[in-house]
């Protein structure tokens, strides 16, 4: 019989450190290709040598950080090629997840999606009025909840995990568009209405098309 490992205090510290560093990578406080030295990170974020190294390993597995040949770490590059690859993976994974959810999801799933769409609509309005960092993070979390709700009934924990991973890797590109004022919120609202209507109708073709258009627009490609 295989047993799971108990959550320890170290695990909690690592999660807190990872959350803080993810945020700062997303807002370009930590820049693409910037070297990440454990001593410097500890001065900024706290934690022990062990917990910080475990944090960087976790972020490496998520694709936010890269291990270097010198056994160090750096922030993952943010190139046009990276962006194209992230968009490709998001389209493939999220459309598969939505297709499976449409086939298997019950009314509770549908209700979660509609609630997530409502939350995103509210967050869109809030971030247009106040594009500060806190509101931007709340907006991004609302967007993330929508993405995760769409694949929640897929029946595949690995697919759900990959959705979260690649959505996280796209975060800094999306927040950069927000900071630069390059998100068309009117068109975004129209796409969200089309997605909602297609999901309620269980119209797979229209739902997948709406999702793919939203992913492309989300990252301006």
């Amino acid at each position: 019989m295989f047993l799971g490992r108990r959550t320890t205090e170290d695990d909690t510290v690592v999660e807190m450190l990872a959350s803080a560093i993810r945020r700062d990578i997303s807002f370009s406080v930590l820049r693409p290709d910037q070297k990440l030295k454990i001593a410097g990170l500890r001065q900024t974020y706290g934690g022990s040598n062990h917990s910080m190294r475990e944090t960087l390993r976790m972020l490496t597995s998520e694709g936010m950080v890269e291990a270097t040949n010198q056994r160090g770490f750096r922030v993952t590059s943010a190139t046009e090629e990276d962006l194209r690859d992230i968009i490709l993976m998001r389209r493939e994974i999220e459309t598969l997840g939505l297709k499976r959810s449409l086939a298997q999801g019950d009314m509770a799933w549908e209700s979660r999606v509609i609630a997530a769409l409502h939350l995103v609509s509210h967050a869109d309005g809030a971030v247009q009025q106040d594009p500060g960092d806190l509101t931007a993070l709340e907006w991004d979390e609302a967007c993330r909840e929508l993405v995760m709700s769409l694949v929640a009934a897929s029946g595949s924990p690995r697919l759900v995990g990959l959705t979260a991973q690649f959505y996280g890797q796209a975060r800094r590109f999306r927040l950069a568009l927000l900071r630069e004022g390059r998100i068309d919120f009117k068109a975004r609202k129209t796409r969200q209405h089309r997605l909602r209507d297609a999901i309620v109708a269980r119209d797979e073709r229209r739902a997948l098309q709406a999702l793919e258009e939203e992913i492309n627009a989300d990252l301006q490609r």
Side-chain angles (χ1 to χ4, degrees):
M1 179 178 180
F2 293 97
L3 300 176
R5 184 171 65 88
R6 292 178 60 186
T7 300
T8 67
E9 186 175 346
D10 281 348
D11 294 330
T12 302
V13 171
V14 168
E15 287 289 349
M16 292 174 62
L17 292 171
S19 178
I21 294 173
R22 278 192 208 100
R23 178 196 63 218
D24 284 351
I25 290 174
S26 297
F27 280 105
S28 297
V29 175
L30 298 172
R31 306 288 296 177
D33 297 315
Q34 180 176 333
K35 290 183 179 179
L36 300 173
K37 296 184 178 180
I38 289 177
L41 291 173
R42 286 185 61 202
Q43 288 183 350
T44 302
Y45 301 99
S48 64
N49 282 339
H50 172 73
S51 61
M52 186 56 71
R53 188 168 290 278
E54 288 302 307
T55 298
L56 293 174
R57 286 172 179 161
M58 173 188 290
L59 294 173
T60 298
S61 71
E62 295 175 4
M64 301 291 289
V65 168
E66 295 176 345
T68 67
N69 293 334
Q70 293 76 29
R71 300 181 66 184
F73 298 90
R74 68 182 180 190
V75 178
T76 300
S77 300
T79 65
E80 183 73 21
E81 184 179 0
D82 295 327
L83 179 56
R84 285 197 299 267
D85 194 41
I86 290 169
I87 293 172
L88 169 65
M89 295 308 298
R90 281 196 61 189
R91 281 199 303 252
E92 293 295 321
I93 292 167
E94 291 176 33
T95 53
L96 174 60
L98 177 55
K99 181 177 181 178
R100 291 175 59 87
S101 289
L102 283 166
Q104 302 174 165
D106 56 13
M107 286 301 298
W109 168 72
E110 187 176 305
S111 297
R112 176 180 171 181
V113 172
I114 292 172
L117 282 162
H118 179 73
L119 181 63
V120 164
S121 178
H122 178 77
D124 281 357
V127 82
Q128 289 178 80
Q129 293 181 1
D130 173 18
D133 286 358
L134 179 58
T135 312
L137 282 173
E138 291 173 346
W139 172 78
D140 191 63
E141 282 302 313
C143 297
R144 182 183 186 279
E145 168 56 24
L146 174 58
V147 168
M148 299 311 297
S149 71
L150 293 174
V151 303
S154 65
S156 171
R158 290 178 177 81
L159 192 154
V160 171
L162 286 171
T163 298
Q165 177 180 330
F166 288 109
Y167 183 86
Q169 290 181 23
R171 191 185 197 193
R172 55 182 166 170
F173 295 100
R174 185 172 46 257
L175 288 171
L177 292 176
L178 179 66
R179 288 196 303 271
E180 295 163 9
R182 294 201 288 131
I183 295 178
D184 185 341
F185 284 98
K186 183 177 180 181
R188 179 175 158 85
K189 185 174 183 179
T190 299
R191 289 192 302 270
Q192 290 166 4
H193 286 168
R194 289 174 50 221
L195 179 61
R196 179 201 61 200
D197 292 347
I199 287 173
V200 170
R202 298 298 171 113
D203 186 326
E204 179 183 298
R205 183 187 63 80
R206 287 196 299 134
L208 296 181
Q209 181 181 35
L211 175 57
E212 186 164 341
E213 289 177 3
E214 182 66 12
I215 293 170
N216 291 337
D218 190 21
L219 297 175
Q220 295 287 296
R221 293 295 184 278

